[in-house]
Amino acid sequence: MSDPSAPIALTAHLALVSSISFGGFPTVLPDVRNFVVSTHGWMTDQEFASFFAIAQSIPGPNMILMMSFVGWRVWGFPGALASAFATFGPPCAIYFTAYRLWDRFRDAPWQRIVRLGLVPVTMGIVIAGGAVMARAADTGWRTAGLTIAAAAITLATRFNPMWMLLAGAALGGLGLL
Amino acid sequence: MTEAAHQQRVGRPVPLSALFTAFLTVSLCGVGGGGGIVWARRIAVENRRWISDGEFADIVSLCQFMPGPNIVGIAVCVGAKMRGAIGTIAALCGFLVIPWAVGFSLGVLCLEYSHLAILRNILGGIAAAAAGLLIATGIRLLMPHRRRPAALLFAALAFGLIIFGRLPLLVVLFGLVPLSIAVAGVENARAR
């Protein structure tokens, strides 16, 4: 890195966008891409895309991992740690405060009404998130069948979901999808 | 269920180590975007019975409205509910420290081998199954509301506006939620 202030600029930018990433970190991904690829040229588009693909397929906190790869590319291991903290630190403070407030008014009548209105909308969004993932992952009728089967089995039984993921890995690894 | 969870919390506090290991498991199992909700519900609601499905849906909804990685918010909120600030730290450490170290090392290795076809096929199969799990979890958390036609309507609207309308999440959230709450308020007033 030619610019010694790059790690500070990256960490500050990540802390800022993580504080406004309503609806999860993927909503600010386009902004982060512009910042690190277009504005500063710290990495190529291909590198950024492969960070995303790998973070998505590794178990663990995906978006925090992805930003760690970005930080690692800019400033090695210290950059990875700084980016991780900038990604989860500010939102965690906000979550904690918000939950404390919500819990304090647990028995207030208005909260029951807010809950009745809020939960259906967010669950529609969760299901839509699954559908968006399915659209990206389901490249043919076999993968679409796998998605439907995994959903149906999860709803009908209490099987450990790990079996569904292992079945997906096995079918994919054997070249059956 | 809510009462039972409350009783358990008062009588015998959940050990911090249990919060740590529970969210360590959630973190390691949650492959793919959004997968964390599947596992957090499985472990906190079904296995450990710390909270009810209703409370879990509350927490997910609250986190949807906050900035940041929502699944981390679930760890923060469940930790805070069970043991306060120290519980939040235990859940958060379980969720982040070991999985981050493992994931970061694996990722750096993967970046070296990302061209292998078999690796990509395996990841493709996992992604397809993970999408199904996420859809099922959303449907399951919606089930307690299935007798209210307005709830089903707003869930369908949120789904449709994102999938078919391709509207940004924030627009859908801030457009539908006030309407949905207003309808719930009117229903509530009529029921009296």
Side-chain angles (χ1 to χ4, degrees), chain A residues 18-25 27 50-51 54 56-62 64-65 68-69 72 77 80-81 84 87-88 91-92 94-96 98-100 102 106 112-135 137-138 143 146-147 150-151 154-155 157-162 164-165 168-169 172-173 177, chain B residues 27-33 39 42 46 57-70 72-73 76-77 80-81 84-85 88 92 95-96 99-100 103-104 106-108 110-111 118 121-123 125-136 138-142 145 148 151 154-155 158-159 162-163 166 169-170 173 176-177 180-181 184-185 188:
Chain A
S18 73
S19 308
I20 56 164
S21 59
F22 291 95
F25 208 81
T27 50
S50 60
F51 292 161
I54 287 172
Q56 285 298 302
S57 49
I58 290 178
N62 318 93
I64 299 171
L65 275 175
S68 305
F69 297 143
W72 174 69
F77 192 70
L81 276 183
T87 308
F88 77 79
C92 281
I94 299 173
Y95 285 131
F96 186 76
Y99 186 71
R100 271 299 161 89
W102 175 262
R106 170 150 297 282
R112 207 181 73 82
I113 296 171
V114 169
R115 180 182 302 136
L116 281 177
L118 186 56
V119 170
V121 175
T122 49
M123 289 313 143
I125 290 172
V126 168
I127 298 168
V132 168
M133 271 179 65
R135 199 154 54 188
D138 295 351
T143 36
L146 177 61
T147 301
T154 305
L155 279 174
T157 69
R158 287 165 59 104
F159 276 168
N160 191 322
M162 190 55 86
M164 258 72 79
L165 297 178
L177 293 176
Chain B
S27 190
L28 289 178
C29 291
V31 182
W39 292 97
R42 169 97 186 165
E46 279 188 26
D58 276 3
I59 287 175
V60 173
S61 304
L62 195 64
C63 292
Q64 285 277 2
F65 249 92
M66 301 290 145
N70 295 339
V72 179
V76 169
C77 294
K81 172 160 182 68
T88 291
L92 208 52
F95 193 80
L96 291 177
W100 185 86
F104 187 72
L106 270 179
V108 171
C110 268
L111 286 169
I118 184 154
N121 287 341
I122 291 176
L123 297 179
I126 292 177
L133 297 183
L134 188 56
I135 292 170
I139 293 176
R140 190 165 260 176
L141 290 173
L142 192 58
H145 296 263
R148 284 183 54 229
F154 278 106
F159 179 88
I162 286 187
I163 294 298
R166 291 172 186 276
L169 183 75
L170 267 190
L173 212 50
L176 282 184
V177 165
S180 178
I181 291 175
N188 190 59

Side-chain angles (χ1 to χ4, degrees), chain A residues 6-8 10-11 14 67-86, chain B residues 100 104:
Chain A
I8 297 164
L10 175 66
T11 308
L14 288 180
M67 291 308 120
S68 305
F69 297 143
V70 170
W72 174 69
R73 177 75 181 74
V74 174
W75 190 33
F77 192 70
L81 276 183
S83 297
F85 273 99
Chain B
W100 185 86
F104 187 72

Side-chain angles (χ1 to χ4, degrees), chain B residues 32-110:
Chain B
I37 294 178
V38 175
W39 292 97
R41 188 191 156 277
R42 169 97 186 165
I43 289 169
V45 179
E46 279 188 26
N47 293 356
R48 310 257 184 169
R49 294 176 187 266
W50 284 336
I51 55 175
S52 66
D53 253 337
E55 286 172 297
F56 187 74
D58 276 3
I59 287 175
V60 173
S61 304
L62 195 64
C63 292
Q64 285 277 2
F65 249 92
M66 301 290 145
N70 295 339
I71 177 65
V72 179
I74 296 177
V76 169
C77 294
V78 173
K81 172 160 182 68
M82 306 315 291
R83 290 295 300 271
I86 189 80
T88 291
I89 293 170
L92 208 52
C93 285
F95 193 80
L96 291 177
V97 178
I98 297 174
W100 185 86
V102 172
F104 187 72
S105 324
L106 270 179
V108 171
L109 268 180
C110 268

